[in-house]
């Protein structure tokens, strides 16, 4: 497996659990703070495609911005292109943590899924 990109928000408790798990499993990762270095439209397009997940799984539905801006309605009605553009505007809209390897994209921390893909 090539380089592992760990896209996370350091204050997020789930991201902290994921970071601990990565360390316990001796996985060498390049960590990226999503609040300081938001994924680009190109990255998101690639990750969504690679993950085989529906686009809505990339939204941080429990986030303040998601709720304040009623993005739930936009996810139902906007085009894929517009939604990816929206995600690229603010890292806090994006579900995290995200793991990106040469052939895998994992969204959210599910230990069994991560173990199967990374260990």
């Amino acid at each position: 497996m090539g380089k592992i990109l760990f896209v996370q928000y350091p204050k997020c408790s789930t991201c902290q659990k994921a970071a601990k798990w990565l360390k316990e499993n001796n996985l060498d990762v390049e960590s990226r703070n999503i609040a300081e270095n938001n994924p680009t439209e190109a990255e998101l397009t690639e990750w969504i495609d690679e993950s085989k997940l529906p686009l809505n799984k990339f939204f941080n539905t429990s986030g303040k911005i998601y709720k304040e801006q009623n993005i739930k309605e936009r996810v139902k009605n906007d085009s894929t292109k517009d939604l990816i553009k929206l995600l690229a505007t603010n890292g806090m809209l994006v579900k995290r943590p995200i793991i990106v390897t040469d052939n895998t994209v994992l969204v959210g921390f599910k230990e069994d899924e991560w173990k199967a893909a990374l260990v």
Side-chain angles (χ1 to χ4, degrees):
M1 184 183 313
K3 189 155 214 153
I4 300 172
L5 176 62
F6 176 51
V7 183
Q8 49 94 25
Y9 181 56
K11 293 181 181 157
C12 158
S13 60
T14 304
C15 295
Q16 291 167 359
K17 276 185 210 149
K20 183 175 183 251
W21 185 89
L22 289 164
K23 194 172 187 168
E24 285 169 356
N25 285 277
N26 298 314
L27 291 162
D28 186 28
V29 299
E30 177 188 325
S31 189
R32 177 166 149 192
N33 182 333
I34 201 165
E36 295 170 359
N37 189 351
N38 195 47
T40 64
E41 286 179 52
E43 284 176 321
L44 287 162
T45 301
E46 189 181 311
W47 296 349
I48 290 163
D49 187 47
E50 183 75 40
S51 74
K52 309 274 188 277
L53 292 169
L55 174 59
N56 66 330
K57 296 291 184 201
F58 278 79
F59 278 91
N60 175 13
T61 56
S62 57
K64 190 174 161 193
I65 299 166
Y66 185 88
K67 290 174 179 165
E68 283 175 356
Q69 295 183 11
N70 197 18
I71 291 172
K72 185 179 184 180
E73 287 308 306
R74 289 188 64 181
V75 170
K76 289 179 195 165
N77 303 310
D78 287 15
S79 71
T80 297
K81 191 174 190 232
D82 286 344
L83 291 172
I84 290 172
K85 199 174 272 190
L86 175 64
L87 279 170
T89 63
N90 188 326
M92 302 317 273
L93 284 173
V94 182
K95 175 122 175 118
R96 53 199 183 258
I98 300 174
I99 286 284
V100 182
T101 68
D102 296 338
N103 58 358
T104 306
V105 175
L106 304 172
V107 181
F109 178 56
K110 297 179 191 86
E111 192 172 330
D112 293 345
E113 204 177 272
W114 284 35
K115 194 176 285 180
L118 302 172
V119 181

